[in-house]
Amino acid sequence: MGLLQNYFSTFLQGFGYTLLSSVVALVGSMLLGTLFAIMQVLPTRWMQIVGNIYVQIFRNIPLLIITLFLYLAVAKVVKMNGFTAGTIALTLYTSAFIAETVRAGILSVDSGQMEGARANGLKFGQAMRYIVLPQAFRVALPSLGNQFINLVKNSSILAFVGGLDLMYQGNMVAANSFDTFTAYIIVGIFYLVLTLPLSYYMQYLEQHLKAKA
Amino acid sequence: MSMIEFKDVEKYYGDFHALKNVNLEIDAGETVVLIGPSGSGKSTLIRTVNGLEEIQQGQLLVDGFDLHDPKTDMNKIRKNVGMVFQHFNLYNNKSAIENIMLAPRLVLKRDEAENKRIAMELLEKVGLADKAANMPSELSGGQKQRIAIARSLAMKPKALLFDEPTSALDPEMIGDVLDVMRDIAADSSMTMLVVTHEMSFAKAVADRVIFMADGQILEDSSTDSFFKNPSEPRAQKFLSQVANH
């Protein structure tokens, strides 16, 4: 545990960047994912197609490729550092999976809910926001939880582009101290500090909503 | 003045001809019951009135709006034309009173205290004031349907459409729902179009009965004359079949 003491501030900095990247990507991918899920269930054909192309592109390319594309190619046009490139890549990649999850959730809601709302005078957007989406998210919650946990772990992609995250700092510590094994054990524990509470919180939310329904 | 007017309306689902040359006029304040064998197009017809189904040909005027005109804002019609469904379609994520208050709040921007007062009055009217806080999953079918009716009434519509409102209910629940509908029909300003198999309700409440089969209106006559001497052979057959139940 001497390693942890000696490099504590390094680990903590990495932890901070991982947390920041995860939170930004989580919020961003939820918003984007929900947007593209709705596009795919709209009656307008071209919107469905655009939504579907987006999902297929970002779901079917490795996260590493998206990250490198942003860091090496896009960064030449729009200045950005490794942290930004990695976080944007993580957001785009995860949003494709969230779009699929939310879309499945929307489709699981009985069509009578939308019909009842429209007949009651609500606009499509209002019916989505107040009636369909809350029910869709409830259905989608277990798989959304999986996506969130994957997102936190996938944020380790930042290490490849100098993103200063937990994985990046773990590599540094391992290289400097030559104590590779302990360094990565500590990195693993730091990830658990993020993912375990998250996964318990998702479980709690699931139970809580089930009790309410 | 007519509230709902069909002029040579045609409706297709792909190749299937669901409504054939429908001509129908319903005056404001009238209560009209639509009957016929299943698959005759009754539900399709009633669903075109608030734009849940599009028509392909002809003209459909509701409250002065032309539904076949793509420029018509469907939400303006739906504000004034409520609908009650066979399967209730209550908002599963909202309590009974929230089901009633949501649309007036969002669409009519009704003041919150006023909204609540009206919602409680309506719950009172349908006999479910004690269920205000209950979720739909905690209500019986008959209770759900009465909440759904209250939800439609909260918008203070000019017309109400009922699409087989009692068909999904247990027999002992039907009476309560029909009682509420009778009350509404007694209000002379409300236009009602009801698809139903409840002949006693039709006899007691309807001003007119429309008989449909195979997507066509075969008979359109006053309630008395329809039940006493229906002119169409198909209507005679239909009545003798339902009378045997």
Side-chain angles (χ1 to χ4, degrees), chain B residues 34-107:
Chain B
L34 192 54
I35 63 173
S38 64
S40 58
K42 313 178 296 280
S43 285
T44 304
L45 187 146
I46 202 170
R47 287 165 59 86
T48 61
V49 177
N50 66 351
L52 289 180
E53 300 287 349
E54 282 179 28
I55 62 169
Q56 272 73 48
Q57 263 181 60
Q59 212 182 17
L60 173 50
L61 298 171
V62 177
D63 193 23
F65 293 98
D66 182 357
L67 265 71
H68 199 196
D69 183 348
K71 288 196 287 289
T72 300
D73 181 2
M74 225 44 99
N75 294 313
K76 278 194 184 138
I77 295 160
R78 288 174 180 149
K79 246 196 255 185
N80 291 319
V81 181
M83 183 152 191
V84 175
F85 298 86
Q86 183 177 1
H87 296 289
F88 331 123
N89 297 355
L90 284 187
Y91 308 139
N92 290 329
N93 59 330
K94 302 275 179 204
S95 66
I97 193 160
E98 269 300 313
N99 262 276
I100 300 171
M101 290 168 66
L102 186 69
R105 182 188 302 137
L106 294 178
V107 181

Side-chain angles (χ1 to χ4, degrees), chain B residues 31-35 178 181-182 194-210 222-224 226-227 239:
Chain B
T31 299
V32 175
V33 165
L34 192 54
I35 63 173
L178 292 180
M181 290 170 63
R182 260 187 213 107
V194 185
V195 174
T196 185
H197 297 291
E198 296 293 327
M199 293 305 137
S200 55
F201 173 80
K203 274 180 203 164
V205 176
D207 300 313
R208 254 160 78 202
V209 177
I210 313 280
S222 75
T223 308
D224 272 357
F226 179 81
F227 284 107
L239 278 179

Side-chain angles (χ1 to χ4, degrees), chain B:
Chain B
M1 195 204 111
S2 65
M3 178 72 202
I4 300 166
E5 193 174 356
F6 287 78
K7 283 183 195 161
D8 304 320
V9 168
E10 310 281 349
K11 157 87 192 163
Y12 298 87
Y13 292 109
D15 288 337
F16 180 68
H17 201 170
L19 294 179
K20 297 170 188 161
N21 189 35
V22 168
N23 285 284
L24 175 64
E25 216 175 311
I26 297 173
D27 286 339
E30 248 190 315
T31 299
V32 175
V33 165
L34 192 54
I35 63 173
S38 64
S40 58
K42 313 178 296 280
S43 285
T44 304
L45 187 146
I46 202 170
R47 287 165 59 86
T48 61
V49 177
N50 66 351
L52 289 180
E53 300 287 349
E54 282 179 28
I55 62 169
Q56 272 73 48
Q57 263 181 60
Q59 212 182 17
L60 173 50
L61 298 171
V62 177
D63 193 23
F65 293 98
D66 182 357
L67 265 71
H68 199 196
D69 183 348
K71 288 196 287 289
T72 300
D73 181 2
M74 225 44 99
N75 294 313
K76 278 194 184 138
I77 295 160
R78 288 174 180 149
K79 246 196 255 185
N80 291 319
V81 181
M83 183 152 191
V84 175
F85 298 86
Q86 183 177 1
H87 296 289
F88 331 123
N89 297 355
L90 284 187
Y91 308 139
N92 290 329
N93 59 330
K94 302 275 179 204
S95 66
I97 193 160
E98 269 300 313
N99 262 276
I100 300 171
M101 290 168 66
L102 186 69
R105 182 188 302 137
L106 294 178
V107 181
L108 306 178
K109 317 278 177 211
R110 186 178 286 160
D111 166 73
E112 193 63 15
E114 169 87 345
N115 197 11
K116 186 148 198 181
R117 187 183 61 72
I118 292 173
M120 278 314 293
E121 257 174 41
L122 287 167
L123 281 168
E124 212 74 62
K125 184 182 167 112
V126 300
L128 292 170
D130 56 328
K131 301 287 182 194
N134 287 66
M135 299 300 282
S137 58
E138 300 164 331
L139 301 172
S140 74
Q143 291 170 335
K144 281 185 201 176
Q145 196 59 299
R146 284 184 279 154
I147 299 290
I149 294 172
R151 176 175 76 176
S152 294
L153 288 173
M155 294 294 285
K156 304 219 181 278
K158 294 178 187 168
L160 270 182
L161 311 169
F162 293 83
D163 188 6
E164 302 204 27
T166 57
S167 298
L169 298 179
D170 292 336
E172 75 271 21
M173 305 281 181
I174 292 175
D176 289 338
V177 171
L178 292 180
D179 284 346
V180 170
M181 290 170 63
R182 260 187 213 107
D183 279 355
I184 301 169
D187 170 0
S188 61
S189 65
M190 181 69 80
T191 311
M192 277 170 83
L193 181 55
V194 185
V195 174
T196 185
H197 297 291
E198 296 293 327
M199 293 305 137
S200 55
F201 173 80
K203 274 180 203 164
V205 176
D207 300 313
R208 254 160 78 202
V209 177
I210 313 280
F211 177 78
M212 278 185 87
D214 300 327
Q216 282 173 299
I217 292 180
L218 295 186
E219 188 151 351
D220 177 353
S221 44
S222 75
T223 308
D224 272 357
S225 74
F226 179 81
F227 284 107
K228 280 186 187 132
N229 37 27
S231 49
E232 270 289 320
R234 302 258 329 238
Q236 290 163 5
K237 186 164 168 254
F238 179 79
L239 278 179
S240 70
Q241 280 167 340
V242 288
N244 290 338
H245 282 290

